[in-house]
Amino acid sequence: GTQPQQQQQQQQQQRPMRLRTRITISILSAMLTLSYVVSGALRVLGKFIKTFTNTTSVESSFEAAAEEVGVNEDKLRNKMK
């Protein structure tokens, strides 16, 4: 039985590659999530400013921004599924 030993060696050689792939994938998905969060935050900010300049009422600006945050969270949740 030298064959099981050879298979073990091959698996050990493959493992670092798989780990690197896993790290790359997690970094990419983190960047993707971050970009969604950032673009969502910018959209919220933009909506807040737009509503604020239109109404000069902080309350309705916050309401509009909060709505946009809710929409973004739903989008994120759908992406994660």
Side-chain angles (χ1 to χ4, degrees):
T2 54
Q3 225 156 4
Q5 281 181 325
Q6 276 183 329
Q7 281 180 333
Q8 253 184 343
Q9 277 182 328
Q10 282 178 338
Q11 282 177 342
Q12 279 174 344
Q13 283 171 348
Q14 282 174 350
R15 203 163 282 154
M17 191 60 200
R18 210 171 285 155
L19 187 68
R20 197 178 300 153
T21 309
R22 203 177 290 162
I23 290 169
T24 307
I25 289 171
S26 62
I27 288 172
L28 284 175
S29 63
M31 281 169 59
L32 192 67
T33 307
L34 194 67
S35 72
Y36 273 118
V37 171
V38 169
S39 69
L42 287 176
R43 209 174 296 134
V44 170
L45 201 64
K47 197 157 198 176
F48 178 81
I49 292 167
K50 203 188 296 170
T51 313
F52 187 74
T53 50
N54 287 348
T55 61
T56 62
S57 144
V58 177
E59 208 172 304
S60 62
S61 299
F62 272 124
E63 278 172 20
E67 247 173 72
E68 193 66 35
V69 168
V71 170
N72 286 328
E73 281 173 358
D74 288 343
K75 278 185 195 167
L76 262 177
R77 230 173 270 130
N78 291 339
K79 288 277 189 300
M80 296 297 178
K81 277 179 191 165

Coordinates of all heavy atoms in Angstrom, one line a residue:
G1 N 0.7 -1.2 0.0 CA 0.0 0.0 0.0 C 0.7 1.3 0.0 O 0.7 2.0 1.0
T2 N 1.4 1.7 -1.1 CA 1.9 3.0 -1.2 C 1.0 4.0 -1.8 O 1.2 5.2 -1.7 CB 3.2 3.0 -2.1 OG1 2.9 2.4 -3.3 CG2 4.4 2.2 -1.4
Q3 N -0.1 3.5 -2.4 CA -1.0 4.4 -3.0 C -1.7 5.4 -2.1 O -1.8 6.6 -2.4 CB -2.1 3.6 -3.8 CG -2.3 4.2 -5.2 CD -2.9 3.2 -6.2 OE1 -3.2 2.1 -5.8 NE2 -3.0 3.5 -7.4
P4 N -2.2 5.0 -0.9 CA -2.8 6.0 0.0 C -1.9 7.1 0.3 O -2.3 8.3 0.4 CB -3.2 5.2 1.2 CG -3.3 3.8 0.7 CD -2.3 3.7 -0.4
Q5 N -0.6 6.8 0.5 CA 0.4 7.8 0.8 C 0.5 8.9 -0.3 O 0.6 10.1 -0.1 CB 1.8 7.2 1.1 CG 1.9 6.6 2.5 CD 3.2 6.0 2.8 OE1 3.9 5.5 1.9 NE2 3.7 6.1 4.0
Q6 N 0.6 8.4 -1.6 CA 0.7 9.3 -2.7 C -0.6 10.2 -2.8 O -0.4 11.4 -3.0 CB 0.7 8.5 -4.0 CG 2.2 8.0 -4.3 CD 2.2 7.3 -5.7 OE1 1.3 6.6 -6.1 NE2 3.4 7.3 -6.3
Q7 N -1.7 9.7 -2.5 CA -3.0 10.5 -2.5 C -2.9 11.6 -1.5 O -3.3 12.7 -1.7 CB -4.2 9.6 -2.3 CG -4.6 8.9 -3.6 CD -5.8 8.0 -3.4 OE1 -6.1 7.5 -2.3 NE2 -6.6 7.7 -4.4
Q8 N -2.4 11.2 -0.3 CA -2.3 12.2 0.8 C -1.3 13.3 0.4 O -1.6 14.5 0.6 CB -1.7 11.5 2.0 CG -2.8 11.3 3.1 CD -2.2 10.7 4.4 OE1 -1.1 10.1 4.4 NE2 -2.9 10.8 5.5
Q9 N -0.2 13.0 -0.2 CA 0.7 14.0 -0.7 C 0.0 15.0 -1.7 O 0.2 16.2 -1.6 CB 2.0 13.4 -1.3 CG 3.0 12.9 -0.3 CD 4.2 12.4 -0.9 OE1 4.2 11.8 -2.0 NE2 5.4 12.5 -0.3
Q10 N -0.7 14.4 -2.6 CA -1.4 15.2 -3.6 C -2.4 16.2 -2.9 O -2.5 17.3 -3.3 CB -2.1 14.4 -4.6 CG -1.2 13.8 -5.7 CD -1.9 12.9 -6.6 OE1 -3.0 12.4 -6.3 NE2 -1.3 12.6 -7.8
Q11 N -3.1 15.7 -2.0 CA -4.1 16.5 -1.3 C -3.4 17.6 -0.5 O -3.9 18.7 -0.5 CB -4.9 15.6 -0.3 CG -6.0 14.8 -1.0 CD -6.8 13.9 0.0 OE1 -6.3 13.6 1.1 NE2 -7.9 13.5 -0.4
Q12 N -2.3 17.3 0.1 CA -1.5 18.4 0.8 C -1.0 19.4 -0.1 O -1.0 20.6 0.2 CB -0.4 17.7 1.6 CG -0.8 17.1 2.9 CD 0.3 16.3 3.6 OE1 1.3 16.0 3.0 NE2 0.1 16.0 4.9
Q13 N -0.7 19.1 -1.3 CA -0.2 20.1 -2.3 C -1.4 20.9 -2.8 O -1.2 22.1 -3.0 CB 0.4 19.4 -3.5 CG 1.9 18.9 -3.2 CD 2.4 18.0 -4.3 OE1 1.7 17.6 -5.2 NE2 3.7 17.7 -4.2
Q14 N -2.5 20.4 -2.9 CA -3.7 21.1 -3.3 C -4.2 22.1 -2.3 O -4.8 23.1 -2.6 CB -4.8 20.2 -3.7 CG -4.6 19.5 -5.1 CD -5.6 18.4 -5.4 OE1 -6.4 18.1 -4.5 NE2 -5.6 17.9 -6.6
R15 N -4.0 21.8 -1.0 CA -4.7 22.5 0.1 C -4.2 24.0 0.1 O -5.1 24.9 0.2 CB -4.4 21.9 1.4 CG -5.4 22.3 2.4 CD -5.4 21.4 3.6 NE -6.1 20.1 3.4 CZ -5.8 18.9 4.0 NH1 -4.9 18.9 4.9 NH2 -6.5 17.9 3.7
P16 N -2.9 24.4 0.0 CA -2.6 25.8 0.0 C -3.3 26.6 -1.1 O -3.8 27.7 -1.0 CB -1.1 25.8 -0.3 CG -0.6 24.5 0.1 CD -1.8 23.5 -0.1
M17 N -3.4 25.9 -2.3 CA -4.1 26.6 -3.4 C -5.6 26.8 -3.1 O -6.1 27.9 -3.3 CB -4.0 25.6 -4.6 CG -4.4 26.3 -5.9 SD -3.4 27.7 -6.3 CE -4.4 28.5 -7.5
R18 N -6.2 25.8 -2.5 CA -7.6 26.0 -2.2 C -7.8 27.1 -1.1 O -8.7 27.9 -1.2 CB -8.1 24.7 -1.6 CG -9.6 24.5 -1.9 CD -10.1 23.1 -1.6 NE -9.6 22.1 -2.5 CZ -9.4 20.8 -2.3 NH1 -9.6 20.3 -1.1 NH2 -9.0 20.0 -3.2
L19 N -6.9 27.2 -0.2 CA -7.0 28.2 0.9 C -6.8 29.6 0.2 O -7.6 30.5 0.5 CB -5.8 28.0 1.9 CG -5.9 28.9 3.1 CD1 -7.1 28.6 4.0 CD2 -4.6 28.8 4.0
R20 N -5.9 29.7 -0.7 CA -5.7 31.0 -1.4 C -6.9 31.4 -2.2 O -7.3 32.6 -2.1 CB -4.5 30.9 -2.3 CG -3.9 32.3 -2.7 CD -2.7 32.2 -3.6 NE -1.6 31.5 -2.9 CZ -0.7 30.8 -3.6 NH1 -0.7 30.7 -4.9 NH2 0.3 30.2 -2.9
T21 N -7.5 30.4 -2.8 CA -8.8 30.7 -3.6 C -9.9 31.2 -2.6 O -10.6 32.1 -2.9 CB -9.2 29.4 -4.3 OG1 -8.1 28.9 -5.0 CG2 -10.4 29.7 -5.2
R22 N -10.0 30.5 -1.5 CA -11.0 30.8 -0.5 C -10.8 32.3 0.0 O -11.7 33.0 0.2 CB -11.0 29.8 0.6 CG -12.3 29.8 1.4 CD -12.3 28.7 2.5 NE -12.3 27.4 1.9 CZ -11.9 26.3 2.6 NH1 -11.5 26.4 3.8 NH2 -11.9 25.1 2.0
I23 N -9.5 32.6 0.3 CA -9.2 34.0 0.8 C -9.6 35.0 -0.3 O -10.2 36.0 0.0 CB -7.7 34.1 1.2 CG1 -7.4 33.2 2.4 CG2 -7.3 35.5 1.4 CD1 -6.0 33.1 2.7
T24 N -9.2 34.7 -1.5 CA -9.5 35.6 -2.7 C -11.0 35.8 -2.8 O -11.4 37.0 -2.9 CB -8.9 35.0 -4.0 OG1 -7.5 34.7 -3.8 CG2 -9.1 36.0 -5.1
I25 N -11.7 34.7 -2.7 CA -13.2 34.8 -2.9 C -13.8 35.6 -1.7 O -14.6 36.5 -1.9 CB -13.8 33.4 -2.9 CG1 -13.5 32.7 -4.2 CG2 -15.3 33.5 -2.7 CD1 -13.8 31.3 -4.3
S26 N -13.3 35.4 -0.5 CA -13.9 36.2 0.6 C -13.5 37.6 0.5 O -14.3 38.5 0.9 CB -13.4 35.6 2.0 OG -12.0 35.7 2.1
I27 N -12.3 38.0 0.0 CA -11.9 39.4 -0.2 C -12.8 40.0 -1.2 O -13.3 41.1 -1.0 CB -10.4 39.5 -0.5 CG1 -9.6 39.2 0.7 CG2 -10.1 40.9 -1.1 CD1 -8.1 39.1 0.3
L28 N -13.1 39.3 -2.3 CA -13.9 39.8 -3.4 C -15.3 40.1 -2.9 O -15.9 41.1 -3.2 CB -13.9 38.9 -4.6 CG -12.6 38.9 -5.4 CD1 -12.7 37.8 -6.5 CD2 -12.4 40.2 -6.1
S29 N -15.9 39.1 -2.2 CA -17.2 39.3 -1.7 C -17.3 40.4 -0.7 O -18.3 41.1 -0.7 CB -17.8 37.9 -1.2 OG -17.0 37.6 0.0
A30 N -16.3 40.5 0.1 CA -16.3 41.7 1.1 C -16.3 43.0 0.3 O -17.0 43.9 0.7 CB -15.1 41.5 2.0
M31 N -15.5 43.1 -0.7 CA -15.4 44.3 -1.5 C -16.7 44.6 -2.2 O -17.2 45.7 -2.2 CB -14.3 44.2 -2.6 CG -12.9 44.4 -2.0 SD -11.6 44.0 -3.2 CE -12.0 45.1 -4.5
L32 N -17.4 43.5 -2.7 CA -18.7 43.7 -3.3 C -19.7 44.2 -2.3 O -20.4 45.2 -2.6 CB -19.1 42.3 -3.9 CG -20.3 42.4 -4.9 CD1 -19.9 43.1 -6.1 CD2 -20.8 41.0 -5.2
T33 N -19.7 43.6 -1.2 CA -20.7 44.0 -0.1 C -20.4 45.5 0.3 O -21.3 46.3 0.4 CB -20.5 43.1 1.1 OG1 -20.7 41.8 0.7 CG2 -21.6 43.5 2.2
L34 N -19.1 45.8 0.4 CA -18.7 47.1 0.8 C -19.1 48.1 -0.3 O -19.7 49.2 0.1 CB -17.2 47.2 1.0 CG -16.6 48.5 1.7 CD1 -17.1 48.5 3.1 CD2 -15.1 48.5 1.6
S35 N -19.0 47.8 -1.5 CA -19.4 48.7 -2.6 C -20.9 48.9 -2.6 O -21.4 50.0 -2.8 CB -18.9 48.2 -4.0 OG -19.7 47.1 -4.4
Y36 N -21.7 47.9 -2.3 CA -23.1 48.0 -2.2 C -23.4 49.0 -1.0 O -24.3 49.8 -1.1 CB -23.8 46.7 -1.9 CG -24.1 45.9 -3.2 CD1 -23.6 44.7 -3.4 CD2 -25.0 46.4 -4.1 CE1 -23.8 44.0 -4.6 CE2 -25.3 45.7 -5.3 CZ -24.7 44.5 -5.5 OH -25.0 43.8 -6.6
V37 N -22.8 48.8 0.1 CA -23.0 49.6 1.3 C -22.7 51.0 1.0 O -23.4 52.0 1.3 CB -22.2 49.1 2.5 CG1 -22.3 50.0 3.7 CG2 -22.7 47.7 2.9
V38 N -21.5 51.3 0.4 CA -21.0 52.6 0.1 C -22.0 53.3 -0.9 O -22.4 54.4 -0.7 CB -19.6 52.6 -0.5 CG1 -19.2 54.0 -1.0 CG2 -18.6 52.2 0.6
S39 N -22.3 52.6 -2.0 CA -23.2 53.2 -3.0 C -24.6 53.5 -2.3 O -25.3 54.5 -2.6 CB -23.4 52.3 -4.2 OG -24.1 51.1 -3.9
G40 N -25.0 52.6 -1.5 CA -26.3 52.8 -0.7 C -26.2 54.0 0.2 O -27.1 54.8 0.2
A41 N -25.1 54.1 0.9 CA -24.9 55.3 1.8 C -24.9 56.6 1.0 O -25.5 57.6 1.4 CB -23.6 55.1 2.6
L42 N -24.2 56.6 -0.2 CA -24.2 57.8 -1.0 C -25.6 58.1 -1.5 O -25.9 59.3 -1.6 CB -23.2 57.6 -2.2 CG -21.7 57.5 -1.9 CD1 -20.9 57.2 -3.1 CD2 -21.3 58.9 -1.3
R43 N -26.3 57.1 -1.9 CA -27.7 57.3 -2.4 C -28.5 58.0 -1.3 O -29.3 58.9 -1.5 CB -28.3 56.0 -2.9 CG -29.3 56.2 -4.0 CD -29.8 54.9 -4.5 NE -28.8 54.2 -5.2 CZ -28.6 52.9 -5.0 NH1 -29.3 52.2 -4.2 NH2 -27.6 52.3 -5.6
V44 N -28.4 57.4 0.0 CA -29.1 58.0 1.1 C -28.7 59.4 1.3 O -29.6 60.3 1.5 CB -28.8 57.1 2.4 CG1 -29.4 57.8 3.6 CG2 -29.4 55.7 2.2
L45 N -27.4 59.7 1.3 CA -27.0 61.0 1.5 C -27.5 62.0 0.4 O -28.0 63.1 0.7 CB -25.4 61.0 1.5 CG -24.7 62.2 2.1 CD1 -25.1 62.3 3.6 CD2 -23.2 62.2 1.9
G46 N -27.5 61.5 -0.8 CA -28.0 62.3 -2.0 C -29.4 62.6 -1.8 O -29.9 63.7 -2.0
K47 N -30.2 61.6 -1.4 CA -31.6 61.8 -1.2 C -31.9 62.8 -0.1 O -32.8 63.6 -0.2 CB -32.3 60.4 -0.9 CG -33.8 60.5 -1.1 CD -34.3 59.1 -1.4 CE -35.7 59.1 -2.0 NZ -36.2 57.8 -2.4
F48 N -31.1 62.6 1.0 CA -31.2 63.5 2.1 C -31.0 65.0 1.7 O -31.8 65.9 2.0 CB -30.2 63.1 3.2 CG -30.3 64.0 4.4 CD1 -31.2 63.8 5.4 CD2 -29.3 65.0 4.6 CE1 -31.2 64.6 6.5 CE2 -29.4 65.8 5.7 CZ -30.3 65.6 6.7
I49 N -29.9 65.2 1.0 CA -29.6 66.5 0.5 C -30.7 67.1 -0.4 O -31.1 68.2 -0.3 CB -28.2 66.6 -0.1 CG1 -27.1 66.3 0.9 CG2 -27.9 67.9 -0.8 CD1 -25.7 66.0 0.3
K50 N -31.1 66.2 -1.3 CA -32.1 66.7 -2.3 C -33.4 67.1 -1.6 O -34.0 68.1 -1.8 CB -32.4 65.5 -3.3 CG -33.0 66.1 -4.6 CD -33.4 64.9 -5.5 CE -32.3 64.0 -5.9 NZ -32.7 62.8 -6.6
T51 N -33.8 66.2 -0.7 CA -35.1 66.5 0.1 C -34.9 67.7 1.0 O -35.8 68.6 1.1 CB -35.4 65.3 1.0 OG1 -35.3 64.1 0.2 CG2 -36.8 65.4 1.5
F52 N -33.7 67.8 1.5 CA -33.4 69.0 2.4 C -33.4 70.3 1.7 O -34.0 71.3 2.1 CB -32.0 68.8 3.1 CG -31.7 69.8 4.1 CD1 -32.3 69.7 5.4 CD2 -30.8 70.8 3.9 CE1 -32.1 70.7 6.4 CE2 -30.6 71.8 4.9 CZ -31.2 71.7 6.1
T53 N -32.9 70.3 0.5 CA -32.9 71.6 -0.3 C -34.3 71.9 -0.8 O -34.6 73.0 -1.0 CB -31.9 71.5 -1.5 OG1 -32.1 70.3 -2.2 CG2 -30.4 71.5 -1.0
N54 N -35.1 70.8 -1.1 CA -36.4 71.0 -1.6 C -37.4 71.5 -0.4 O -38.2 72.4 -0.7 CB -37.0 69.8 -2.1 CG -36.4 69.4 -3.5 OD1 -35.7 70.3 -4.1 ND2 -36.6 68.2 -4.0
T55 N -37.2 71.0 0.8 CA -38.2 71.3 1.8 C -37.6 72.1 2.9 O -38.4 72.6 3.7 CB -38.8 70.0 2.4 OG1 -37.7 69.2 2.9 CG2 -39.4 69.1 1.3
T56 N -36.3 72.1 3.0 CA -35.6 72.7 4.2 C -36.2 72.2 5.5 O -36.2 73.0 6.5 CB -35.6 74.3 4.1 OG1 -36.9 74.8 4.2 CG2 -34.9 74.8 2.9
S57 N -36.7 71.0 5.5 CA -37.2 70.5 6.8 C -36.4 69.2 7.1 O -36.4 68.3 6.3 CB -38.7 70.1 6.6 OG -39.0 68.9 7.3
V58 N -35.7 69.2 8.2 CA -34.8 68.1 8.5 C -35.6 66.9 8.7 O -35.2 65.8 8.3 CB -34.0 68.5 9.8 CG1 -33.1 67.3 10.2 CG2 -33.1 69.7 9.6
E59 N -36.8 67.0 9.3 CA -37.6 65.8 9.7 C -37.9 65.0 8.4 O -37.7 63.8 8.4 CB -38.9 66.3 10.4 CG -39.4 65.2 11.3 CD -40.6 65.8 12.1 OE1 -40.4 66.8 12.8 OE2 -41.7 65.2 12.1
S60 N -38.5 65.7 7.4 CA -38.8 64.9 6.2 C -37.6 64.4 5.5 O -37.6 63.4 4.8 CB -39.7 65.8 5.3 OG -39.0 66.9 4.8
S61 N -36.5 65.1 5.6 CA -35.2 64.7 5.0 C -34.8 63.4 5.6 O -34.4 62.4 5.0 CB -34.1 65.7 5.2 OG -34.5 66.9 4.5
F62 N -34.9 63.3 7.0 CA -34.5 62.1 7.7 C -35.5 60.9 7.3 O -35.0 59.8 7.1 CB -34.5 62.3 9.2 CG -33.2 62.8 9.7 CD1 -33.2 63.9 10.5 CD2 -32.1 62.1 9.5 CE1 -31.9 64.4 11.0 CE2 -30.8 62.5 10.0 CZ -30.8 63.7 10.7
E63 N -36.7 61.3 7.1 CA -37.7 60.2 6.7 C -37.3 59.6 5.4 O -37.3 58.4 5.2 CB -39.1 60.8 6.7 CG -39.8 60.9 8.1 CD -41.1 61.6 8.1 OE1 -41.7 61.8 7.0 OE2 -41.5 62.0 9.2
A64 N -37.0 60.5 4.4 CA -36.7 60.1 3.1 C -35.4 59.2 3.1 O -35.3 58.2 2.5 CB -36.5 61.3 2.2
A65 N -34.4 59.7 3.9 CA -33.2 58.9 4.0 C -33.4 57.6 4.7 O -32.9 56.6 4.2 CB -32.2 59.7 4.9
A66 N -34.3 57.5 5.7 CA -34.5 56.3 6.4 C -35.2 55.3 5.4 O -34.9 54.1 5.5 CB -35.4 56.5 7.6
E67 N -36.1 55.8 4.6 CA -36.8 55.0 3.6 C -35.8 54.4 2.7 O -35.8 53.2 2.4 CB -37.8 55.8 2.8 CG -39.2 55.5 3.0 CD -40.1 56.5 2.3 OE1 -40.2 56.4 1.1 OE2 -40.7 57.3 3.0
E68 N -34.8 55.2 2.2 CA -33.8 54.7 1.3 C -32.9 53.7 2.0 O -32.5 52.7 1.3 CB -32.9 55.9 0.9 CG -32.0 55.6 -0.3 CD -32.8 55.4 -1.6 OE1 -33.9 56.0 -1.8 OE2 -32.3 54.5 -2.4
V69 N -32.6 53.9 3.3 CA -31.8 52.9 4.0 C -32.6 51.5 4.0 O -32.0 50.5 3.8 CB -31.6 53.3 5.4 CG1 -31.0 52.2 6.3 CG2 -30.6 54.5 5.4
G70 N -33.9 51.6 4.2 CA -34.7 50.4 4.2 C -34.6 49.7 2.9 O -34.5 48.4 2.8
V71 N -34.7 50.5 1.8 CA -34.7 49.9 0.5 C -33.3 49.2 0.2 O -33.3 48.1 -0.3 CB -34.9 51.0 -0.6 CG1 -34.6 50.5 -2.0 CG2 -36.4 51.5 -0.5
N72 N -32.3 49.9 0.6 CA -30.9 49.3 0.5 C -30.7 48.1 1.2 O -30.1 47.1 0.8 CB -29.9 50.4 0.9 CG -29.7 51.5 -0.1 OD1 -29.9 51.3 -1.3 ND2 -29.4 52.7 0.4
E73 N -31.3 48.0 2.5 CA -31.1 46.8 3.3 C -31.9 45.6 2.6 O -31.4 44.5 2.6 CB -31.7 47.0 4.7 CG -30.7 47.8 5.6 CD -31.2 48.2 6.9 OE1 -32.4 47.9 7.2 OE2 -30.5 48.8 7.7
D74 N -33.0 45.9 2.0 CA -33.7 44.9 1.3 C -32.9 44.4 0.1 O -32.9 43.2 -0.1 CB -35.1 45.4 0.8 CG -36.1 45.6 2.0 OD1 -35.8 45.0 3.1 OD2 -37.1 46.3 1.9
K75 N -32.3 45.3 -0.6 CA -31.5 44.9 -1.7 C -30.4 44.0 -1.3 O -30.1 43.0 -1.9 CB -31.0 46.2 -2.4 CG -31.9 46.8 -3.4 CD -31.2 48.0 -4.1 CE -32.3 48.9 -4.8 NZ -31.7 50.2 -5.2
L76 N -29.7 44.4 -0.2 CA -28.6 43.7 0.3 C -29.0 42.3 0.7 O -28.4 41.3 0.4 CB -28.0 44.3 1.5 CG -26.7 45.2 1.3 CD1 -26.3 45.9 2.5 CD2 -25.6 44.4 0.7
R77 N -30.2 42.2 1.4 CA -30.7 40.9 1.8 C -31.0 40.0 0.6 O -30.7 38.8 0.7 CB -32.0 41.2 2.7 CG -31.9 40.4 4.0 CD -33.1 40.8 4.9 NE -32.8 41.9 5.7 CZ -33.6 43.0 5.8 NH1 -34.7 43.0 5.2 NH2 -33.2 44.0 6.6
N78 N -31.5 40.6 -0.4 CA -31.8 39.8 -1.6 C -30.5 39.3 -2.3 O -30.5 38.2 -2.8 CB -32.6 40.6 -2.6 CG -34.0 40.9 -2.1 OD1 -34.5 40.1 -1.2 ND2 -34.7 41.9 -2.6
K79 N -29.5 40.1 -2.3 CA -28.2 39.7 -2.9 C -27.6 38.6 -2.1 O -26.9 37.7 -2.6 CB -27.3 40.9 -2.9 CG -27.6 42.0 -3.9 CD -27.1 41.6 -5.3 CE -27.2 42.8 -6.3 NZ -28.6 43.2 -6.5
M80 N -27.7 38.6 -0.8 CA -27.1 37.6 0.1 C -27.7 36.2 -0.1 O -27.1 35.2 0.2 CB -27.2 38.0 1.6 CG -26.4 39.3 1.9 SD -24.6 39.1 1.6 CE -24.1 40.7 2.0
K81 N -29.0 36.2 -0.5 CA -29.7 34.9 -0.6 C -29.0 34.0 -1.6 O -28.6 34.4 -2.6 CB -31.1 35.1 -0.9 CG -32.0 35.4 0.3 CD -33.4 35.7 -0.1 CE -34.2 36.2 1.1 NZ -35.5 36.8 0.7

